[in-house]
Amino acid sequence: MFEKVKKNGTEQLGKTNRIVEGTSIVGDIVSKADFRLDGELIGNFTSQGKIVIGAKGVIKGEIICNNADIEGEFHGKIKVLETLNIKSTAQIHGEVAVGQLSIEPGADFTATCTMLAHSNQVIMLEDGKGAE
């Protein structure tokens, strides 16, 4: 009676990849789905979804994504096409480019910030690099 209609690009919605505390990755991560990082990433992260850096999470590198919540540490360049939420426990050092920005009192925000005038969805390229 009911047919399941597959929508392009939305089959990954609601699914979350997870790197747990105590795990370290050196390299680049490319994901179409949402991602939660409670461990450490030294490298670049590109996603069409949302990244959550947990309170114990650390990323040193470059992030390109549609949305992000940061509770832990980030060092590098981050480009969030829609909304970046920085929690009170976060430590941000580097360059930030966002569509919308929310910073809770108490956060360590030592970064240059550029507001994006127009945002598009992140496009996954064959070589693993994201683009507008």
Side-chain angles (χ1 to χ4, degrees):
M1 179 175 194
F2 294 103
E3 288 184 35
K4 189 173 184 180
V5 179
K6 201 173 201 180
K7 297 178 184 174
N8 291 338
T10 61
E11 59 273 359
Q12 298 298 323
L13 292 177
K15 297 181 181 179
T16 302
N17 293 298
R18 188 168 190 158
I19 302 298
V20 296
E21 186 178 344
T23 302
S24 292
I25 295 177
V26 177
D28 297 341
I29 296 175
V30 177
S31 175
K32 290 185 179 182
D34 293 345
F35 207 94
R36 180 172 177 99
L37 186 125
D38 291 303
E40 179 181 31
L41 170 64
I42 298 173
N44 301 320
F45 175 84
T46 304
S47 175
Q48 289 179 335
K50 178 179 186 175
I51 184 167
V52 175
I53 302 173
K56 301 283 185 180
V58 177
I59 293 183
K60 295 177 183 176
E62 184 173 342
I63 296 174
I64 299 173
C65 62
N66 281 335
N67 291 288
D69 286 353
I70 301 178
E71 299 173 43
E73 289 184 49
F74 174 74
H75 303 270
K77 293 171 74 173
I78 183 169
K79 183 174 187 179
V80 180
L81 300 178
E82 293 177 13
T83 305
L84 170 60
N85 293 305
I86 299 174
K87 306 298 183 182
S88 62
T89 56
Q91 298 176 39
I92 310 296
H93 302 277
E95 297 176 34
V96 175
V98 296
Q100 296 179 349
L101 179 63
S102 169
I103 304 175
E104 289 183 357
D108 176 2
F109 187 77
T110 309
T112 60
C113 184
T114 304
M115 301 302 288
L116 301 171
H118 163 18
S119 62
N120 294 319
Q121 199 174 34
V122 174
I123 298 170
M124 311 303 276
L125 301 177
E126 303 260 338
D127 64 348
K129 299 287 183 184
E132 287 190 83

